[in-house]
Amino acid sequence: QVQLVESGGGLVHAGGSLRLSCAASGRTFSTYFMGWFRQAPGKEREFVARISWSGGSTGYADSVKGRFTISRDNAKNTVYLQMNSLKPEDTAVYYCAASNLPLAISRREYAYWGQGTQVTVSS
């Protein structure tokens, strides 16, 4: 099992940047495919980005492609989400998640979840 704790959320103006971190417990972090999801009020949780075990493969939702970057540091058991050029529509609670499945993109493919961190982008 792995436990996940997100941090780095906050309030930022449109056009600004934030970097989210997700710290994982356990010695098997490098064996998990990691993802970021977000959930806005009244909406379903949606996929944002994913990264392979080694960090060599990444994938993004079309809505964030070119603005967000996912990365990981297996030595620190941490995955990051660098968010640039933020828009009001990026406002949501952001969750990191871990999966045993390669190329996982669906919520159902992720077995472990953090508690979430709020990101609010003002216009």
Side-chain angles (χ1 to χ4, degrees):
Q1 286 196 0
V2 62
Q3 293 183 326
L4 305 171
V5 179
E6 302 95 335
S7 61
L11 173 64
V12 64
H13 291 298
S17 298
L18 281 175
R19 188 175 82 154
L20 305 183
S21 299
C22 174
S25 65
R27 293 177 288 179
T28 59
F29 174 73
S30 62
T31 67
Y32 289 97
F33 216 85
M34 299 299 297
W36 284 97
F37 289 75
R38 67 186 181 185
Q39 188 167 18
K43 295 187 177 181
E44 291 196 357
R45 194 170 299 186
E46 64 175 2
F47 166 77
V48 174
R50 59 162 176 82
I51 189 166
S52 62
W53 304 285
S54 66
S57 173
T58 58
Y60 299 91
D62 288 342
S63 59
V64 307
K65 204 171 292 183
R67 300 188 297 122
F68 290 11
T69 303
I70 188 172
S71 61
R72 67 190 296 164
D73 185 338
N74 287 340
K76 295 183 178 179
N77 280 14
T78 302
V79 63
Y80 304 97
L81 186 68
Q82 178 68 43
M83 306 186 295
N84 298 328
S85 302
L86 282 161
K87 304 175 182 180
E89 50 263 44
D90 294 318
T91 295
V93 177
Y94 283 72
Y95 299 88
C96 76
S99 174
N100 291 310
L101 303 174
L103 302 178
I105 193 171
S106 165
R107 280 168 39 187
R108 298 174 186 82
E109 296 175 297
Y110 286 83
Y112 307 103
W113 293 83
Q115 83 290 348
T117 185
Q118 176 71 46
V119 171
T120 303
V121 184
S122 64
S123 57

